[in-house]
Amino acid sequence: MRKISLLVIPALLLVSCLKENLPLVENIKKGDKWGIEIGSSAKEVYNRLQSLGIEKDFSQVAVVGRKSYAEPEELESSLEFYNATTLQSNSGRIERVIIQFPADTIASISTGGALPEEVDRWPLNVADSSAFNIGDKVAELYPKLESLYRISDYSDLDIILPDKPLNKSFDPDMENFNEWAFSFFTDAGPGKRGRSDVRLYFEDGFLERIYHKYDEFEVQH
């Protein structure tokens, strides 16, 4: 019996120490984490994230520091790399328009604030060359944006891109940003969930550092 007790006590102490030491923080500058290798190019990192997202059940990565675009010409990458865009007037005249295109065509258009209303076409008072319609091909989005911005009533729209969806191809413009971020959850035992918050830091287009913060939380049912 004494031998069994000696084995059990260290195990209990280990569990206690692990709890007290959370959150766990890692700053990785050499080697790799989850197969994301330090020194990899932005595209190589993104390709790995596409696989890791399936493994860890997350679907997007945030491009930290990216701001809205004041006109279509500022978009250095094609909208085809994303699954949605938001148009919002910087004067407040047009509250918000959300255009979603998870595949190759526009699937939904919503307008309004807290309770957006779905519509089939927006705006209603412009020519077909400037209006967005359900079923329009994603390839038509950019030229229609250019046409819409030539109309004075819509020239002050800001274009907002969402977080980068991992089910679409790499956006080369991501190389121009030095920080990406993503999070995912894991099962940490009965009544607990673990959360990993990750920041990827790049220098001249290559991964320089991985910051990882892990913590655990009780889950109430």
Side-chain angles (χ1 to χ4, degrees):
M1 292 295 295
R2 182 175 298 173
K3 290 183 179 179
I4 294 176
S5 298
L6 289 174
L7 290 173
V8 171
I9 290 174
L12 294 175
L13 290 174
L14 177 60
V15 172
S16 175
C17 289
L18 285 174
K19 289 181 179 179
E20 291 177 358
N21 288 338
L22 290 177
L24 170 68
V25 174
E26 298 178 282
N27 271 298
I28 301 164
K29 298 182 179 180
K30 294 182 179 179
D32 73 285
K33 181 74 173 179
W34 307 299
I36 306 172
E37 296 187 9
I38 300 297
S40 297
S41 68
K43 186 174 183 179
E44 290 171 335
V45 171
Y46 183 81
N47 291 342
R48 175 55 192 150
L49 289 180
Q50 288 184 298
S51 299
L52 186 65
I54 297 173
E55 296 170 19
K56 301 294 187 181
D57 193 25
F58 66 96
S59 60
Q60 57 193 23
V61 57
V63 181
V64 180
R66 180 164 57 193
K67 300 179 180 179
S68 60
Y69 300 91
E71 54 187 28
E73 288 75 12
E74 293 182 4
L75 283 169
E76 296 184 9
S77 60
S78 174
L79 290 168
E80 68 187 36
F81 299 121
Y82 296 84
N83 56 15
T85 187
T86 298
L87 306 178
Q88 189 164 317
S89 172
N90 54 44
S91 67
R93 183 180 56 81
I94 298 172
E95 194 165 5
R96 186 173 57 173
V97 179
I98 303 171
I99 303 172
Q100 299 188 62
F101 38 95
D104 297 326
T105 61
I106 294 178
S108 70
I109 303 171
S110 303
T111 65
L115 297 173
E117 176 186 357
E118 288 199 14
V119 296
D120 294 330
R121 172 189 169 94
W122 185 88
L124 291 175
N125 60 338
V126 301
D128 288 343
S129 59
S130 303
F132 304 101
N133 301 273
I134 300 294
D136 281 353
K137 294 185 179 300
V138 174
E140 299 176 41
L141 285 174
Y142 187 82
K144 285 197 171 188
L145 275 174
E146 287 186 308
S147 179
L148 186 65
Y149 269 68
R150 297 189 191 104
I151 303 172
S152 59
D153 286 347
Y154 302 99
S155 60
D156 69 338
L157 290 174
D158 283 339
I159 306 169
I160 304 169
L161 292 178
D163 289 345
K164 180 68 181 71
L166 292 172
N167 65 342
K168 294 207 171 185
S169 301
F170 175 67
D171 173 10
D173 190 44
M174 294 175 71
E175 296 177 343
N176 296 320
F177 295 89
N178 294 330
E179 186 176 348
W180 304 354
F182 63 93
S183 300
F184 61 85
F185 292 89
T186 53
D187 184 1
K192 295 179 183 178
R193 292 284 281 169
R195 176 185 171 109
S196 286
D197 294 310
V198 185
R199 297 270 176 153
L200 305 178
Y201 294 92
F202 295 83
E203 184 70 32
D204 297 326
F206 293 90
L207 184 62
E208 183 181 49
R209 178 166 65 97
I210 301 171
Y211 171 87
H212 173 222
K213 178 182 176 182
Y214 174 80
D215 208 345
E216 293 180 357
F217 307 90
E218 292 184 356
V219 178
Q220 296 182 350
H221 296 283

